[in-house]
Amino acid sequence: MKKILITGGAGFIGSHVVRRFVKKYPEYKIFNLDALTYAGNLENLSDIKNEPNHRFVKGDITDQKFIEGLFNEYDFNGVVHLAAESHVDRSITNPMEFIMTNIVGTVNLLNAARNCWKENFEGKRFYHISTDEVYGSLGDEGFFTETTPYDPQSPYSASKASSDHLVRAYHNTYKLPVVLSNCSNNYGPNQFPEKLIPLIIHNIENNKPLPVYGKGLNIRDWLYVEDHAAAIDLIFHKGADGETYNIGGNNEWRNIDIVKKICSVMDQKLNRETGTSEKLITYVKDRAGHDMRYAINATKIKNELGWEPSLQFEEGIEKTVDWYLANKEWLQNVTSGDYQKYYEKMYRDR
Ligand code: NAD
Ligand code: TYD
């Protein structure tokens, strides 16, 4: 039996990865390690919580002793590392949490793997999940490839860039068997409503203003989360040692267009007159240092591993809206309490 440690498995992308691994690989034992910060939610995993090959472990990757102990106890065969602070706006308000979790936490995991595996790396793999934001910001043209120089612009992307460099340094220096991927913006079920798409869905439902930063002209390349989970599965099992793979949706949208698209889907789903939701659009103060455009060239993963996005955006956004409308209790639970305080603080001065 293979023992796989997945970190951040109670979060948005992590929960889809854990579900996929638990269901597809009954012969694996999946250890799902998560600190359950505001972004982690065991409700994301309610359908698989009793599966015999899934074990949830509450713990913090910044706790070096705890992480060492966990590796010594279970001697994992592989690590899929997703745990992170992931929201750019929060990184602008509080960078230190990003330094601690994204950098120090990653180094704790690298050290624990290295010490536990004791140079006997046969059959072992450390997979680090990262973001396209490490490459910085594009103008109107061009795409990020795996060889684009790093140029992170926010505390979030700088912390992720730093962790990527450290993972590669452990491969180069200690021969730790690693693989990395850098993915574009994800959307889909279970995303915390601080991120654009679920925030807009939530606000439309509640007839609240739809905050669009600046002029709404910034561009993101959106990928359905289950397609990211499929790519992660493929890279973990088939990716070449020491390599990096870019993952993207080939699906660029200006923010204002995506907000209008969600408005139109929501009007239909809520039986509201066409144009009702668009009236809620409110332009607000821009994000500090707001990256203009992200776009991925995903040729390498297509040519080498045969991965492509399976879902068109039309289908993906409908599925996403349907999920949020069918899971009002989930949304209610995650937006009660601290979320209100966060929202008021983040949007008060905009
Ligand atoms: P998320 O914020 O939804 O989830 C992060 C999870 O990590 C949460 O469950 C949280 O409880 C856990 N966590 C945070 N700090 C921790 C700590 N110190 N110890 C243990 N667990 C901790 O994030 P997400 O959107 O699912 O992103 C997952 C990973 O994918 C991140 O590494 C992120 O950088 C990367 N990524 C995200 C996107 C995206 O669009 N969301 C795109 C590309 C890459
Ligand atoms: P976000 O979902 O935070 O992802 P990221 O910053 O990692 O790309 O934001 C996506 C885009 O939407 C980004 O250009 C910022 C913008 N945005 C808004 O216009 N309004 C909002 O309320 C939020 C959260 C984001």
Side-chain angles (χ1 to χ4, degrees):
M1 174 180 276
K2 268 195 178 175
K3 287 172 281 180
I4 310 295
L5 176 69
I6 300 183
T7 71
F12 167 47
I13 302 170
S15 61
H16 289 274
V17 174
V18 167
R19 178 174 300 101
R20 186 178 176 97
F21 275 59
V22 163
K23 289 195 165 164
K24 192 169 163 193
Y25 303 107
E27 72 279 20
Y28 291 2
K29 178 99 186 170
I30 304 300
F31 292 80
N32 173 4
L33 170 68
D34 199 295
L36 298 181
T37 68
Y38 78 92
N41 184 355
L42 285 178
E43 273 184 67
N44 295 347
L45 299 159
S46 51
D47 58 322
I48 52 160
K49 70 171 189 271
N50 294 326
E51 294 295 334
N53 63 337
H54 176 219
R55 161 125 187 241
F56 178 74
V57 182
K58 186 170 187 300
D60 191 327
I61 59 168
T62 66
D63 183 342
Q64 186 196 340
K65 285 236 148 46
F66 166 75
I67 293 297
E68 263 171 23
L70 198 68
F71 272 78
N72 289 337
E73 189 172 351
Y74 296 109
D75 189 16
F76 304 112
N77 302 90
V79 179
V80 183
H81 174 37
L82 297 112
E85 287 293 336
S86 68
H87 190 40
V88 174
D89 292 324
R90 288 185 192 254
S91 82
I92 294 169
T93 333
N94 191 359
M96 191 51 92
E97 281 182 6
F98 287 69
I99 308 306
M100 291 310 294
T101 289
N102 298 0
I103 306 178
V104 176
T106 300
V107 175
N108 280 337
L109 290 165
L110 289 166
N111 283 338
R114 180 176 167 237
N115 293 338
C116 174
W117 294 340
K118 294 192 179 63
E119 314 288 310
N120 182 6
F121 295 143
E122 186 67 33
K124 304 288 203 278
R125 166 152 277 188
F126 189 108
Y127 179 7
H128 178 63
I129 311 292
S130 192
T131 166
D132 61 355
E133 303 190 23
V134 297
Y135 299 121
S137 178
L138 290 166
D140 292 342
E141 307 212 332
F143 296 90
F144 298 134
T145 71
E146 288 79 0
T147 56
T148 303
Y150 274 32
D151 187 20
Q153 300 290 321
S154 73
Y156 164 63
S157 54
S159 68
K160 290 296 291 188
S162 176
S163 64
D164 293 12
H165 289 319
L166 284 156
V167 172
R168 292 194 183 102
Y170 274 61
H171 178 70
N172 181 60
T173 310
Y174 309 116
K175 309 298 168 221
L176 194 76
V178 307
V179 68
L180 298 90
S181 58
N182 295 78
C183 188
S184 64
N185 287 60
N186 285 216
Y187 71 99
N190 303 101
Q191 187 168 30
F192 193 77
E194 63 187 352
K195 306 279 167 63
L196 181 69
I197 290 182
L199 186 142
I200 295 297
I201 295 173
H202 178 59
N203 284 15
I204 292 175
E205 227 193 321
N206 294 289
N207 284 307
K208 283 175 65 178
L210 311 181
V212 173
Y213 296 169
K215 296 195 167 82
L217 302 180
N218 304 63
I219 292 173
R220 299 292 183 262
D221 172 2
W222 294 94
L223 177 70
Y224 192 67
V225 62
E226 284 178 5
D227 276 332
H228 189 187
I232 289 173
D233 180 3
L234 199 59
I235 292 168
F236 183 68
H237 290 97
K238 301 271 167 60
D241 187 40
E243 288 294 316
T244 295
Y245 298 87
N246 277 0
I247 308 169
N250 204 10
N251 176 42
E252 290 181 53
W253 287 76
R254 296 190 313 180
N255 292 341
I256 186 62
D257 296 331
I258 215 161
V259 170
K260 287 184 176 168
K261 173 74 191 164
I262 300 167
C263 287
S264 117
V265 175
M266 288 291 282
D267 282 348
Q268 273 175 26
K269 301 276 178 194
L270 298 173
N271 289 319
R272 293 181 182 171
E273 201 182 314
T274 308
T276 309
S277 301
E278 274 199 26
K279 292 196 187 115
L280 296 168
I281 292 176
T282 309
Y283 292 93
V284 299
K285 189 171 146 207
D286 210 352
R287 173 185 281 170
H290 196 172
D291 287 341
M292 193 58 211
R293 173 171 167 256
Y294 305 141
I296 283 276
N297 174 335
T299 309
K300 178 175 172 180
I301 187 171
K302 182 179 175 194
N303 289 347
E304 294 186 11
L305 303 179
W307 177 91
E308 276 186 286
S310 72
L311 224 61
Q312 293 299 312
F313 188 68
E314 292 286 326
E315 198 186 335
I317 197 69
E318 282 235 8
K319 276 176 83 146
T320 304
V321 167
D322 286 343
W323 186 86
Y324 280 94
L325 293 178
N327 289 275
K328 293 200 168 109
E329 208 178 302
W330 182 93
L331 204 50
Q332 172 67 33
N333 288 346
V334 301
T335 53
S336 62
D338 280 353
Y339 180 82
Q340 301 301 337
K341 280 188 225 144
Y342 160 80
Y343 196 89
E344 275 158 33
K345 186 161 177 262
M346 195 61 80
Y347 291 90
R348 187 182 46 212
D349 302 326
R350 282 206 139 104

